[in-house]
Structures are given as structure tokens and as C-alpha cells.
Amino acid sequence: MAEVVVVPDPDTGGRLAARTVLDTVRRNPEAVLGLATGSSPLPVYRALARLIAEEGVDVGRVSGFALDEYVGLPPGHPESYRSVITREVTVPLGLSPDRVHVPDGDPARADTAGEAYERALAAAGPVDVQLLGVGTDGHIGFNEPGSSLTSRTRLKTLTEQTRRDNARFFGSVEEVPVHCVTQGIGTILRARHLILLAFGAAKAEAVAAAVEGPLTASVPASAIQLHAHTTVIVDEPAASRLTHLAYYRHAWANKPAPQHI
Ligand code: F6R
């Protein structure tokens, strides 16, 4: 069962996840980080950048793998996940750009981008900590409802709901690409530790379905139930539809080890 941690606000959740990522890097200076884009992990990256600077941690040999990329945005488009990862992660954290990987979203290579990414992931070794957001439709990565629970990195079509949700990053929904290359659910599950972050009432249903609903390809995020080490960090609004909320609070408050995920 996933550990659910309810935090008062996204910044507190970001600090909690960042501390875990930093501890992982201290233990293994060649750690492999799984990087989500979108709004949910931004507090983690902000906290991590601060901690790395304050504590003088060497991240020169850390690698990163993004979850996904849009297909067909012009190179350098500010909302391509390559650009977002550079802006929000690589530069502020001081990672080596050649160790930060994003799937290839060039339409000319979209068919083979998945296999190439799987090879790069396999060569780097398992991801140590995988950050995840969740879509309002229950997607993780861009594995939309119906995605195989054993899927690998591949070309996928975004749902209209996801395109509408992500229109806030673009001028209009028409400008949101229709296709993406995303790590598969099977790919994501190979990481050693999954940290799923969700904030705000719009995520409440998806969080409840992921954590407590039946394991089903109709809710790709429910695949976290298959993983032995998953931490779900949510604020009160995102936690509001969880049935066993009292138990999660009790378990966290009485955790035998210190308050550490
Ligand atoms: C992003 C990704 C998506 C997002 C999800 C939530 O790399 O794979 O699964 O995590 O769409 O997005 P936000 O955090 O913007 O609500």
C-alpha cells in the first residue's frame, strides 16, 4: 500500500520530497532521477535547488530522465518538455546537461523514439527516485486511461481532457500537441521509489482512484499499487476524497522511523 502523506501546502510537500532526493544523491553521487514536468513537481525542484546550494552537494554525476515529451513542437519551443526540464531542473539544480534525457519528440523519429529511450534508461540503470504527477483523468506520465500496465516508452495520443488541462501552458487547446512519447507504466514501475505529488481539489478523484480504487488500466495511476515503495504527497484538497484518510494521518504521525519518506 502506498504511504500517503498529507501536507499543509505544496511547498511543504516539495521540501519533503526534495530531502529524500538529496539523501539519495548523498548515498549515491551517480543517482538516476526520474523527472516529471507540469506544475506538481515544481515545489520539489525549487526546494532541491535551494538545498543543493545551501549544503554544497555535488550533483555533477547525477543523471535525469524525463517522463515524456510532446511530439511535433518546434525545437526550442518554451513548452516542449526539453525546454521545461532545462529551465526548471537542469539549470537551477546545476545538473550536467549531457546527463539529462528527454524523449525525442521529433515526428520523423516518433516511431523509434520509445525504443531508443528504453535503451538509454537501461544503460543508466534503474531510476532511484521517480517523481510523478497525476492527470485529472488518472494518467501517469502520458499513459492515458486504457494504457497497458506493462507498457514501455512509446508514441501515444493525448486525451482531449489532458489537452484541455494543459492548454494553460499554451495559447489555446488547439496549440497543445495531439501526440507524445511517454515512458510506459511498466517503465515507471521499474524505478526504486515512486513519489507522486498532487495538489488541489481538481486532483482529489484521481488521487482516490489511484490509491484506493481497483487496480485497472482505466486509471493508469492505480499501477502505483503494484509498487513496493510508493509515497503519495497530497495537500488537504487533493486528499479530500480518500476513504482511509484518518488511517494515513495516524500511520504518518506514528511512523516508527523519523518523518522521512
Ligand atoms: C508530466 C506528466 C504528467 C503530469 C500530469 C499532471 O511529465 O507526465 O503526468 O504529471 O499531467 O500535471 P500537473 O502537475 O501540471 O497537474
Side-chain angles (χ1 to χ4, degrees):
M1 177 193 197
E3 172 170 56
V4 178
V5 185
V6 185
V7 291
D9 51 66
D11 282 343
T12 308
R15 285 196 296 274
L16 185 62
R19 177 52 68 192
T20 296
V21 173
L22 201 71
D23 288 351
T24 305
V25 173
R26 280 191 195 286
R27 276 197 306 276
N28 174 14
E30 299 192 355
V32 182
L33 307 181
L35 307 169
T37 44
S39 314
S40 308
L42 293 179
V44 186
Y45 300 138
R46 282 197 295 268
L48 201 48
R50 215 169 37 241
L51 286 174
I52 288 169
E54 281 170 11
E55 300 182 19
V57 180
D58 177 10
V59 294
R61 285 181 292 149
V62 169
S63 358
F65 282 83
L67 278 172
D68 37 26
E69 177 59 292
Y70 293 114
V71 169
L73 290 178
H77 188 290
E79 292 308 327
S80 75
Y81 283 168
R82 166 60 75 183
S83 299
V84 172
I85 289 282
T86 301
R87 194 165 64 232
E88 306 288 358
V89 184
T90 314
V91 170
L93 270 56
L95 301 183
S96 305
D98 56 326
R99 289 179 187 258
V100 179
H101 308 262
V102 180
D104 186 352
D106 188 316
R109 291 183 293 275
D111 273 348
T112 53
E115 275 174 45
Y117 206 61
E118 287 287 329
R119 280 195 298 275
L121 269 165
V127 167
D128 291 290
V129 187
Q130 175 66 59
L131 300 174
L132 295 168
V134 59
T136 57
D137 67 357
H139 70 222
I140 46 170
F142 274 147
N143 296 282
E144 299 287 27
S147 295
S148 159
L149 299 180
T150 61
S151 48
R152 299 294 186 214
T153 310
R154 70 224 182 282
L155 179 62
K156 285 289 285 181
T157 304
L158 296 171
T159 60
E160 286 309 297
Q161 187 172 332
T162 297
R163 292 183 68 231
R164 274 198 306 276
D165 285 348
N166 286 6
R168 69 188 193 280
F169 297 113
F170 294 80
S172 66
V173 68
E174 288 74 31
E175 289 168 59
V176 183
V178 174
H179 295 108
C180 63
V181 175
T182 180
Q183 286 191 31
I185 298 173
T187 313
I188 292 168
L189 291 176
R190 285 194 305 230
R192 291 197 163 108
H193 182 192
L194 306 180
I195 302 179
L196 187 149
L197 301 120
F199 304 114
K203 298 292 175 72
E205 248 176 70
V207 167
V211 175
E212 298 177 339
L215 172 64
T216 169
S218 298
V219 181
S222 68
I224 61 171
Q225 296 173 33
L226 291 169
H227 198 284
H229 190 188
T230 301
T231 309
V232 176
I233 300 178
V234 281
D235 61 3
E236 296 285 349
S240 60
R241 301 288 295 268
L242 289 164
T243 305
H244 303 295
L245 194 49
Y247 173 73
Y248 307 134
R249 293 191 205 281
H250 169 76
W252 178 246
N254 293 285
K255 195 167 158 135
Q259 304 278 291
H260 190 279
I261 54 178

